[in-house]
Amino acid sequence: MSKGKIAFYWAGSCGGCEVSIVDLDEMLFEVLEHFDIVFWPCAMDIKYSNVEDMDDEEIDVCFFNGCIRNEENQAIAELLRKKSKIMIAFGSCSHLGGIPGLGNLSTKEEILEQVYKKSKSIYNEEGIYPSNSVDDHGNEIEIPSLREHVDALDDVVEVDYYIPGCPPPADVIKTALLTLISGNIPPRSEVLAPNRTVCHECKKEKRDIAVKEIKRVYQLDDIDPNRCLLEQGLLCMGPATREGCGAACPSANMPCTGCMGPPSADPQSENCEQGARMISAIASITDVVDEKNSEEEEIKAALDELRDPVGIMYMYSMPKSILKRRRRE
Amino acid sequence: MSMIEINPITRLEGHGNIKIFKDDNGNVDSAYLQIPELRGFEKFCMDRQCELMPQLTSSICGVCPIPHHLASIKTLDNVFNAPPPERAVAQRKLMHFGYFLEDHLLHFYFLGGPDLLLGPDCPPEKRNIIGIIEKYGKDVATEIMEHRRMGQDIIKILGGKAIHPAFGIPGGVSNAVTPKQLDDIEVMARSLVKFSQFSLSLYKQKIHEDEFYSTAVVSDEYSLDCYNMGIVNDKNQPDYYDGDIRITDAEGNEVIKFHPSEYLDHIGEAVEKFSYMKFPFYKKIGWKGLVESKDNGVYRVGPLGRYNATTGYSTPLADKEGKELEKTFGRPCNMTLAYHWIRLTEVLNVSEQLLELALDRDLVLEGDLRTPVNKVVGRGVGCIEAARGTLIHDYEVDQNGLMKDVNLIVPTTHNAAAISLSITKAAQKEIDQGVTDKDHMNRVELALRAYDPCFGCATH
Amino acid sequence: MNEDNGDFEPKIVGFLCNWCSYAGADLAGSSRLKYKPNVRVIRVMCSGRVDPLFVFKAFEKGADGVLIAGCHPGDCHYQCGNYKTMRRMHVMKKMLEQMGISPERLRLEWVSAAESTRFVNVVNDMTEKIKELGPSPLKEEVASNE
Amino acid sequence: MRVGVYVCHCGINIAKTVDVERVVKEISKLPNVVVCRDYHYMCSDPGQELIKKDINRYELNSIVIAACSPRMHFKTFQSALKSAKLNPYMLEMANIREHCSWVHDDVEAATQKAIALVKSSVAKASHLEPLVENDSPVVPAALVIGGGIAGIQSALDIANAGYKVFLVEKEPSIGGHMAQFDKTFPTLDCAACILTPKMVDVSRHENIKLLTYSEVEDISGFVGNFHVKVKKKPRYVNENKCVACGDCATECRLANRIVSEFDEGLGKRSAIYVPFPQAVPLKYTIDPDNCLFLTRGKCGKSPKCVDVCDANAIEFDQKEKIEEFDVGTIIVATGYDSFDAAEKPEFMFGKVPNIINGLQYERFFAPNGPTGGELVMPDGSVPKNVVFVSCVGSRDKKVGNPYCSRICCMYSTKQAHLTKERSPDTDVTVFYCDVRAFGKGYEEFYERVQGEGVKYRRGLVSEIYQDDEGKLHVRAEDSLLGEPVDIVADLVVLATGVVPKDTTKSLAQKLHISNSPDGFLLEAHPKLRPVDTVTDGIFLAGCAQGPKDIPDTVAQAGAAAAHAIDVLAKGKITIEPYNAVVNPDLCGGCRICEMLCPFDAHHYNEQEGVMEINDTLCKGCGVCGAACPAGAIALNLFRNKQIISQIEAILDE
């Protein structure tokens, strides 16, 4: 049988997803036995023009990572969708918007102003911004402009599968690749990763899940490495986060930050949204010992150190949260 | 006036393109390196809980998440005025060295290296890791992958995962290596020392047999006179984790040495309309735009910048290699392609340091991992040498531990002006009289790949 | 704040617990008390059943306000569901504020099965307050999507 | 889904403010809606027939009724579905009466709202799914809280029906307020004579376990399976040994030096006592607040009671005991308190011995009272003129009691009669607002007493004061003559009203039942379910639910007993499947839900690492579902999908 064609691309991303492919090591050889890599800017000298020259659906599988932050991201997403049979949102950014999705808490203008005018070391007397069409000594130079807000991949093109994680864990990628290679294609728009939550994989012991008060990691004089971090008052996103990473961060005694996104929703329970899920859980178990007598003020105090719920709950999923972005009123 | 474009620049991290403008005789008038992306970390990190910064900023770059993670945590040490215990620093260094090796090897074998190892005339579709595998065989390929993997494994041991680990806590770390793990690291270190020597020999043999490179390396088109910057220890040797920042001029004279917390007095960032990348410059000299001149504050960081801003190496084998470098290129050396050799020398240097640390068992295995923090002091600056050069984080944090201001100057950003100038020079030489075939275009990219730029980082 | 709220009729989704508040609303009915028609009630067994998901969904779909009403502390038919609600409120309001939605648009009230007049006052007062706030910032988005 | 929607006019109750035709027109447009009709009374037989026919004709599999509150008729319509062989949980009601037509005047607005509400119900109906009801066994025993006439009556009725009864009384003896009365209106039969036999029956009944001097500590569980904890206070007297000879009381160092609660403070007793001679159980009790030995650890050389008790029944080392048992049903008959007249300073209650309240006056007449039934005042004289002041603490917003206490008019009348009976030439005046003589034979009795020369003067008493010779004056406004009056009185009787027992609130919380605004316990429906509470298996009897006279109390006690017996006789209760369900494929085993469940329905399966929920223990509050961070817990009938679809529909325009 003839080899399939595979492409890797990054949009608004950090490159971690690329490295996670490189980290497949030997597995990479196996991939190369089944696929020719026809586009991979990070590792190969193939340019956009080469892709434009391809036939529609010439690429069998396209692994697309990164969020849709600027016009170029969107244009290439549309291009690759056209050229690919199967489009896979690869990694948190394309899956849920990722950390750059936090940009949705500010407007495009606010971002530009901070970066090019306000930041401490800036030297910008004319107060200029990079602007989408500039004339530099008579040279017309186009530069893609930022979109008003960040989107996930499936907000701009149809996505066939998702591979979650920041970056996707090697095992998850391997299983996904093997599934694709094996040819028995799972139902469309499925997340190619296990369904339960990080707690399911986490080795830490649970004694009494009641949380006295929320603590910041530096406020805890020492972290008991054997005990559930949530119990110790740390806001661990594990309970609201899909498994597959082997509870990587908790294993390093740090709370999960939720990069794998929400677990698969129960078909009956519609949208399984990380933030909604987690605040409900954490608030319900905080300061509940003798809850009947706890005053409004105590409750507030117990939850007080949760200073930035949105930033924590949606660290990787703001554009896919129900409210999607900050509004103004 | 016509324009040719290299889009995207390939085999590096992040988005970039080169726009070359030619006059009517087909000679290059000017060339632009453009970074078309911006995510806006300096804005959306504001109002976040400060303890999350090591993880937030590590996702500025997935190729070099560790230096961001560590620079960030060093910044928070200062924000809370909580100097970490020695043992914690040792853990951080283990992780940092692991990263350093992984990253440099990634560049030599996957990103920039193939240009050298496969030669400039190698067809584009083969000019990559796959080409390397084909050319050097599966065994070498496996060696390469194994040793790169070692770096990743050390990071994973401490941070749970190799990319975007979780590990740093203000005033310390959350996790430490076990004696068993330290044994493994020692074994890895020894093997890495050998492998870096192998890589060096590979490089030298390649350069000497390839006539394009042997000439190109020393040619003017691939050289640039500018200032240099790097972190140094008290002997002015490169220190990759901590120390003062030293700047030297094109002749190698020290122009200033300062504590990182004073960086604002010495470094400014200029803005140009055609790119999202900012252009840092040495303030005392000032910013004159994209021109190669003694009176322009353009400087370089990363292996070459470090080499020029420092004197010798702290470890025996690397120091020996350094001597050979000096014999060949002299010090200072303004030849862009020299980046590769120096980079491999650093691999050796870091492998040796990793081994030293692995052998200092008391330091690594005994003592506290955290200095308890009490109150937020307010501002903090954290600085570290990433593979690609000096990395500066600068935070202001309020009493609730929320971020109030963020300023980041990232290695590739330091190099922004230098890279642009190198490209223009290469383009002017390689694409004269309208020659624009692929290889020549690649020779333009060659100039910039030597820097191992990371554009994701660069604009963040 | 919105410029002309004259003819603006807020849409408020009300989640009422079956045992106290819903019964209180029923009593308001059988006592023929009159109040503003802006609150549309969804019955849940306990205020503790109100998943923050519902609140966010309601705002996403263009609600100008969300009212959660349950048994008074200590009176919960299920012993302590309302205490959970109380706790979730704090974080939900914080989150709404961060998302640029005025937290006053979300309200938690205790209404017992007997407090029909209290229910009436809550509905009228909330309707007034939301009128002053003006339409939810998500409203026109919803409109434009249709 | 094939949904049928039925919009009820409820006569004009809905139709007059909601444009029903328009609702039908709008709803018919919705997807999934196969048929949509309106009808005058959906709950009527023909109305229900309509639904049944449609279910078969159109093969409907989900029904929406837009009518009154589901709390009113949900079950009615469920049975309609059942009889049409459709799962009774494929039903959703839109409350367009209580929540719409009755509370709005503007037809346009009301119609708009009605449409939104029905839309929301249709949306939910489209996501409903069939559910199966489970049975759970009923413990064949009842708990009756309160040993007044109400509790006694309920206990006897249930016990006679053959079920075990635990009767818990806070005081040392059962009997309650009725035991304090002399005669009862209007028939004037002797309270003791009709009450005492019942008290004795209780003590003798093989099915009744009497727990006096005890209080309910905690109640958990649910109908059919309540678990009860009762705190038994120590009497310091061994009930089995005590023969009630009474020597201890006569010998007690504090004999006749302690104010008697039973005599409302008029009489005295010892530190060891029985509240009254006919007490049941007739066992002595040592009052721990006064007993010298218990308060000071020392009583002379040795406590007299110990010395004289041949039965050696005195046990100072007795400790408080907790008794635990299970019952299937509970009756609350905790009675009332008499309004504290001191809250109305203008009446000088407690300042002057000759100003007393109704209950105290009862003790004057009681043969077992402080005066042995003689009408003599503390100074030994017989009052020449007695003045009654009615509505003290009733129909009085100032003290927060807007309601009528229903008994004061009649007991004043009774007491007026008894006064005349005892001393015919005593001048008796009753100041009243309106005389409420509504019961059987009451009006006749009132007339009779008027005939006996008791003066009824309509008017509110403004104040009572003492003149310089210390004579009492009652000042009032005679609203018939429209002139102020000022009458001298030897004795003033304040007809104090009925207020909830101070323990009512805390008991309601223990039982998870509600209070009505007046502070009494709230019935499930003021007319149709007056003895039920919102909590299945818990019923109300007597003044705990609101002021009542004895006949009403006894009647309600019987009714409550009948309802309780009904539960016990069934032997099993059907548990509505409003319960939470865990999806084991999604549960990550974080165990957050475990601690949220007040009914301990959750338990962790170590092997599988997932949570499991016990259907019978789960009450379906849904708190765990709302809190499950994995979205692995769904609540039947209130699933996220169902509610979210409601949200979307209700906001959709």
Side-chain angles (χ1 to χ4, degrees), chain D residues 20 24 32 49 53 60 69 78 97 129-130 137 171 202 226 266 270 285 361 372 398 407 532 554 586:
Chain D
V20 174
V24 172
N32 296 339
E49 271 316 308
K53 279 211 203 66
L60 303 177
S69 171
Q78 273 191 310
R97 192 180 73 175
E129 49 194 54
E171 301 299 328
V202 167
F226 291 106
L266 297 178
S270 313
T285 306
Y361 202 35
K398 269 207 238 67
I407 57 170
D532 305 17
V554 173
L586 298 180

Side-chain angles (χ1 to χ4, degrees), chain D residues 546-584:
Chain D
K548 273 177 207 62
D549 55 24
I550 294 166
D552 287 5
T553 298
V554 173
Q556 195 190 19
H563 283 234
I565 292 166
D566 169 48
V567 173
L568 299 171
K570 279 207 195 87
K572 64 180 172 60
I573 49 121
T574 357
I575 299 169
E576 292 169 325
Y578 292 94
N579 53 309
V581 192
V582 178
N583 178 338

Side-chain angles (χ1 to χ4, degrees), chain A residues 54-67:
Chain A
M54 295 180 189
D55 301 337
D56 289 2
E57 304 206 348
E58 181 174 327
I59 302 166
D60 293 282
V61 189
C62 174
F63 290 83
F64 190 105
N65 72 69
C67 65

Side-chain angles (χ1 to χ4, degrees), chain D residues 351-404:
Chain D
K351 302 216 172 51
V352 185
N354 295 3
I355 301 179
I356 59 173
N357 69 29
L359 214 44
Q360 289 175 314
Y361 202 35
E362 282 293 332
R363 300 308 298 150
F364 272 82
F365 302 112
N368 62 8
T371 62
E374 293 309 314
L375 176 57
V376 286
M377 302 200 296
D379 64 8
S381 67
V382 174
K384 285 278 146 282
N385 32 46
V386 177
V387 175
F388 288 85
V389 180
S390 61
C391 292
V392 176
S394 312
R395 304 176 66 191
D396 182 345
K397 294 204 178 55
K398 269 207 238 67
V399 298
N401 301 337
Y403 56 88
C404 165

Side-chain angles (χ1 to χ4, degrees), chain B residues 379-400:
Chain B
R379 178 163 176 227
V381 175
C383 187
I384 198 167
E385 278 296 325
R388 293 168 186 76
T390 315
L391 168 60
I392 302 169
H393 283 209
D394 177 357
Y395 308 157
E396 271 175 38
V397 178
D398 72 7
Q399 287 310 314
N400 295 329

Side-chain angles (χ1 to χ4, degrees), chain A residues 3 19 48 76 79 85 102 105 113 119 134 140 153 164 173 180 203 216 220 224 239 246 265 282 296 313:
Chain A
K3 278 189 175 183
V19 180
Y48 293 143
I76 305 293
L79 174 66
K85 289 198 189 68
L102 289 170
L105 290 170
E113 193 187 14
S119 71
V134 293
E140 271 297 314
L153 181 59
I173 305 174
L180 294 171
K203 302 275 173 301
R216 314 275 285 270
L220 221 53
D224 179 343
I282 188 71
E296 199 77 352
M313 306 289 168

Side-chain angles (χ1 to χ4, degrees), chain A residues 73-324:
Chain A
N73 303 147
Q74 181 165 4
I76 305 293
E78 283 157 2
L79 174 66
L80 285 166
R81 169 74 273 188
K82 195 145 118 299
K83 303 293 178 186
S84 313
K85 289 198 189 68
I86 296 177
M87 187 70 146
I88 296 181
F90 187 81
S92 314
C93 297
S94 54
H95 176 207
L96 304 163
I99 285 177
L102 289 170
N104 280 1
L105 290 170
S106 322
T107 62
K108 165 180 158 183
E109 289 69 24
E110 287 167 342
I111 292 174
L112 291 170
E113 193 187 14
Q114 174 63 31
V115 174
Y116 299 104
K117 285 191 185 159
K118 287 192 180 161
S119 71
K120 278 203 170 87
S121 47
I122 265 316
Y123 166 88
N124 179 4
E125 280 161 341
E126 309 103 279
I128 53 168
Y129 289 152
S131 49
N132 67 341
S133 172
V134 293
D135 182 323
D136 188 87
H137 319 98
N139 301 326
E140 271 297 314
I141 306 175
E142 291 292 314
I143 179 168
S145 51
L146 298 184
R147 297 163 83 250
E148 287 304 324
H149 48 81
V150 181
D151 275 326
L153 181 59
D154 65 5
D155 291 317
V156 294
V157 301
E158 278 202 5
V159 168
D160 300 291
Y161 302 105
Y162 304 84
I163 298 179
C166 182
D171 293 346
V172 171
I173 305 174
K174 287 176 185 173
T175 342
L177 283 168
L178 292 175
T179 332
L180 294 171
I181 293 168
S182 75
N184 48 26
I185 301 301
R188 211 170 149 283
S189 82
E190 203 169 89
V191 177
L192 304 178
N195 283 340
R196 293 187 184 172
T197 58
V198 172
C199 302
H200 182 242
E201 294 181 318
C202 185
K203 302 275 173 301
K204 302 214 183 299
E205 179 202 350
K206 294 190 196 67
R207 292 172 215 158
D208 168 16
I209 199 72
V211 175
K212 208 167 130 295
E213 57 180 346
I214 306 274
K215 290 251 191 236
R216 314 275 285 270
V217 64
Y218 55 80
Q219 293 172 328
L220 221 53
D221 278 345
D222 59 329
I223 302 167
D224 179 343
N226 303 316
R227 190 162 173 220
C228 170
L229 297 170
L230 204 56
E231 280 183 24
Q232 302 184 57
L234 298 179
L235 205 141
C236 176
M237 287 293 285
T241 303
R242 183 185 294 270
E243 66 184 334
C245 60
C249 299
S251 75
N253 306 325
M254 291 291 274
C256 166
T257 49
C259 72
M260 293 285 285
S264 301
D266 178 308
Q268 278 300 336
S269 71
E270 169 115 345
N271 184 337
C272 187
E273 201 235 32
Q274 240 171 332
R277 296 260 56 81
M278 194 61 203
I279 52 160
S280 187
I282 188 71
S284 306
I285 58 169
T286 304
D287 179 48
V288 282
V289 178
D290 188 27
E291 62 188 341
K292 290 196 168 60
N293 303 320
S294 58
E295 296 299 320
E296 199 77 352
E297 279 315 305
E298 286 175 52
I299 301 174
K300 246 174 103 1
L303 292 163
D304 214 21
E305 282 304 331
L306 184 46
R307 302 270 175 194
D308 174 26
V310 160
I312 289 180
M313 306 289 168
Y314 300 120
M315 191 159 155
Y316 301 87
S317 62
M318 176 68 64
K320 276 287 169 221
S321 68
I322 294 175
L323 297 172
K324 287 183 183 54

